[in-house]
Structure formats: C-alpha cells, structure tokens
Amino acid sequence: QVQLVESGGGLVQAGGSLRLSCAASGRTISGYDMGWFRQAPGKEREFVLGITRSGDSTRYADSVKGRFTISRDNAKNMVYLQMNSVQPEDTAVYYCAATTRHGVYYAMDYWGKGTLVSVSS
C-alpha cells in the first residue's frame, strides 16, 4: 500500500505560480510511475502530468504544456507539480496518484485526497 498526501494548494492570482507537493509513505515510490490529475467544479477528473519511475520521461496534457512541470525525488519519496502562468481554468482539486504500470496513466493504483487550487482573475 502507498499513502499519498498532497499539499501546497491555495489561492493564487492569474499569471502567478504555485508548487504542489505529494508526500508518499508505506512504500518507496521508486517502484511506481506517478501522475497528477485534477477535477474542476462540475467536470470529470482529468490527467495533467505523469512521470516514469526513473524520472527519465514525462507526459503532459496539452492544456498545461509549457506551463506546468512534474518532478520527483525518489530518495525523499516526494513528487512535485510546479505550476507557472496559472489561469482561472486551472482552478481544480489536484490529486497525486501512483501506478505500477509503465508509462500509462489511465488506471492508477493509489490516490491522494487532493489539494484545492483556486486561481483568481
């Protein structure tokens, strides 16, 4: 079992930056590909970014490409989401998730409870 806890959410102005963190416990994340997802009010949860267990490959949703970056520190059991140039449409609950699958993020095995990001215009 892997427990995931997100932090770093809050209120930010459009054009600003925010860094989310995901702390893992229970098992080392070096055995998992990791992803960030989000769910905006009234919408379904969607994939945002993913990173392979070694950190050598990442995948981005088109909506965040060039603005958001995912990174990981396996030694610290941490995953990060750097959000730059945020826009009101980035307002959502952001979830960290882990999967034993390689390079695919459509079926995650473990989820955090999420952290809310609100972007004001």
Side-chain angles (χ1 to χ4, degrees):
Q1 291 280 347
V2 178
Q3 292 78 44
L4 303 170
V5 178
E6 304 92 340
S7 62
L11 179 63
V12 59
Q13 286 190 331
S17 298
L18 204 61
R19 188 195 197 202
L20 305 184
S21 298
C22 172
S25 61
R27 289 184 179 177
T28 173
I29 61 170
S30 59
Y32 299 88
D33 286 13
M34 302 296 294
W36 285 96
F37 295 74
R38 67 185 181 186
Q39 186 167 19
K43 296 186 177 181
E44 294 187 352
R45 187 159 55 189
E46 64 175 358
F47 168 78
V48 181
L49 310 100
I51 186 168
T52 54
R53 58 207 65 197
S54 64
D56 62 348
S57 180
T58 56
R59 184 172 295 179
Y60 295 79
D62 288 342
S63 58
V64 304
K65 196 169 294 183
R67 300 188 299 123
F68 291 10
T69 304
I70 187 172
S71 61
R72 65 190 295 160
D73 187 335
N74 288 347
K76 294 183 178 179
N77 242 21
M78 296 288 294
V79 183
Y80 305 99
L81 171 57
Q82 179 65 44
M83 307 168 63
N84 297 328
S85 302
V86 296
Q87 300 299 317
E89 53 265 35
D90 295 320
T91 294
V93 177
Y94 283 74
Y95 299 90
C96 177
T99 179
T100 56
R101 297 164 182 82
H102 292 263
V104 293
Y105 305 97
Y106 57 78
M108 307 304 283
D109 298 297
Y110 302 101
W111 292 88
K113 294 185 177 181
T115 185
L116 176 63
V117 173
S118 297
V119 182
S120 63
S121 57

